[in-house]
Amino acid sequence: QVQLVQSGAEVKKPGASVKVSCKASGYTFTSYGISWVRQAPGQGLEWMGWISAYNGNTNYAQKLQGRVTMTTDTSTSTAYMELRSLRSDDTAVYYCARLRVYDILTGYPLPGRPFDYWGQGTLVTVSS
Amino acid sequence: QSALTQPASVSGSPGQSITISCTGTSSDVGGYNYVSWYQQHPGKAPKLMIYDVSNRPSGVSNRFSGSKSGNTASLTISGLQAEDEADYYCSSYTSSSTWVFGTGTKVTVL
């Protein structure tokens, strides 16, 4: 069965960086992409970006451009999300979610695919 | 990219039907049939309930249905059950090749 297992909770000081991992199992990792979504305490969901495990292409939310980097390690079927220059309003639960990004047979992009499986979430607390 | 607009809360009695709206623009909801709906119970990860406006993933109850008209998408839950009490979020693909979520709706079963 498809599983996405994320790393544990983190506490960081303002200005620091955090790197969250998401280990995938139960499917062919390189046939899908991984999107990252965060949720501040008591707030709604915010899309952060995605990375294709097929070719490493990325697309980040404009408000996070320059502070976020998403990577994958296909040898371990793991996706990573690094967020730098942390601020208090980055305190949130960070989720990874699987989505199809490309048709593997043709290489054509598949727009608008849903996030069909989610990780359990990783709480990142930014506090001095 | 502004969040899609959803009502903050919707309630209904067991067995009733409720509908949650999700209003966007022609650059997201109105421009693509790529609207999804997610259910989130407290302290849990979201779960995909509807994709491509009206399609249900395998295993999701047929009490959940989706539709769209213009810039507004809707999720209907029929035969409301206690287990349906949760937060619901819509999501849409956008003209910037990004995704945007709705503000979220808390469903209460009376």
Side-chain angles (χ1 to χ4, degrees):
Chain A
Q1 72 284 19
V2 174
Q3 278 194 307
L4 299 174
V5 179
Q6 299 182 223
S7 50
E10 304 261 13
V11 179
K12 296 291 183 181
K13 293 193 182 302
S17 299
V18 69
K19 192 169 187 176
V20 179
S21 68
C22 171
K23 184 170 177 57
S25 61
Y27 71 97
T28 302
F29 184 66
T30 50
S31 294
Y32 290 80
I34 294 288
S35 197
W36 291 87
V37 176
R38 68 180 180 178
Q39 186 171 36
Q43 303 300 308
L45 302 174
E46 178 185 12
W47 181 78
M48 300 178 66
W50 60 256
I51 181 167
S52 166
Y54 173 60
N55 57 16
N57 284 355
T58 56
N59 188 11
Y60 302 138
Q62 190 170 12
K63 70 174 287 188
L64 296 174
Q65 291 272 4
R67 286 208 301 140
V68 68
T69 300
M70 297 176 188
T71 57
T72 59
D73 182 344
T74 56
S75 68
T76 60
S77 299
T78 303
Y80 298 91
M81 185 284 299
E82 181 180 34
L83 189 60
R84 300 176 292 278
S85 302
L86 289 169
R87 309 187 290 245
S88 58
D89 62 355
D90 291 319
T91 293
V93 175
Y94 288 75
Y95 293 102
C96 62
R98 189 186 79 161
L99 78 163
R100 277 208 181 271
V101 182
Y102 291 98
D103 182 319
I104 299 306
L105 293 180
T106 64
Y108 290 149
L110 295 173
R113 297 300 79 213
F115 312 127
D116 58 359
Y117 288 91
W118 294 64
Q120 82 277 19
T122 296
L123 175 62
V124 175
T125 302
V126 182
S127 174
S128 54
Chain B
Q1 182 75 49
S2 297
L4 308 175
T5 301
Q6 298 181 230
S9 63
V10 173
S11 62
S13 300
Q16 287 187 330
S17 293
I18 61 169
T19 297
I20 303 168
S21 62
C22 169
T23 301
T25 68
S26 58
S27 295
D28 38 65
V29 175
Y32 305 91
N33 287 325
Y34 297 141
V35 176
S36 302
W37 289 89
Y38 300 87
Q39 176 192 64
Q40 186 180 34
H41 287 109
K44 300 295 187 182
K47 175 187 175 183
L48 177 65
M49 305 300 285
I50 295 287
Y51 67 96
D52 293 351
V53 176
S54 60
N55 292 321
R56 276 188 313 276
S58 174
V60 172
S61 171
N62 59 8
R63 297 186 298 104
F64 291 85
S65 61
S67 63
K68 191 186 86 166
S69 178
N71 295 338
T72 299
S74 299
L75 173 71
T76 298
I77 309 174
S78 58
L80 199 61
Q81 299 180 359
E83 68 209 47
D84 300 332
E85 187 161 293
D87 293 327
Y88 291 82
Y89 293 91
C90 61
S91 176
S92 176
Y93 186 68
T94 81
S95 58
S96 302
S97 301
T98 61
W99 278 256
V100 61
F101 283 96
T103 49
T105 298
K106 182 178 179 60
V107 169
T108 301
V109 181
L110 301 172

